Amino acid sequence: MNFKHILVVLFLSLGSSNLVYAAGSPINEDYTSLIALGEKMLAASKTSNASSFSTLASEASDVAKDQGSKGNSPRLQRISTKIKQAKKAAKADNFLQATTLIEESIAEMKKTNSPPQWGGNAPTL
């Protein structure tokens, strides 16, 4: 085998291993601002203040949209959907449903990332 061929194979294998690592790395996101807005929305929904809830929900949607532009996160999409649903529920004066949806979104934000399981879901011995 020619030395050039070995060198090409070595560079290609190193390059592809870096791409695999980058594609498999977990998404680390900071939800502190969204959690703070969620707590404020909970307080607004418990006092049945629709206008305050609506402005806070719009601000939370904008924050989620900004964070979503940095990466494509399924968790962030679920959170954003629940915030939008809660805003619609608050506009319809259904504050019980809005409170429930915001509590679910806060619980989703507080979940920890599970460690990645490379090579399947079989436990290691």
Side-chain angles (χ1 to χ4, degrees), residues 117 119-124:
Q117 297 177 350
N121 56 4
T124 58

Side-chain angles (χ1 to χ4, degrees), residues 30-102:
D30 184 26
Y31 297 116
T32 54
S33 59
L34 281 174
I35 291 173
L37 287 170
E39 297 292 336
K40 290 178 184 177
M41 284 191 288
L42 281 176
S45 69
K46 289 179 181 175
T47 60
S48 299
N49 189 347
S51 63
S52 174
F53 188 90
S54 179
T55 56
L56 288 168
S58 296
E59 187 178 344
S61 293
D62 291 340
V63 169
K65 191 176 193 179
D66 289 341
Q67 282 187 355
S69 66
K70 296 177 186 172
N72 193 8
S73 168
R75 183 182 293 178
L76 191 60
Q77 291 173 359
R78 289 189 298 267
I79 292 166
S80 178
T81 302
K82 287 184 182 185
I83 290 172
K84 289 176 185 176
Q85 290 173 348
K87 183 178 178 181
K88 287 180 183 178
K91 282 185 177 180
D93 289 332
N94 190 353
F95 288 102
L96 181 63
Q97 182 183 8
T99 304
T100 304
L101 287 167
I102 294 300

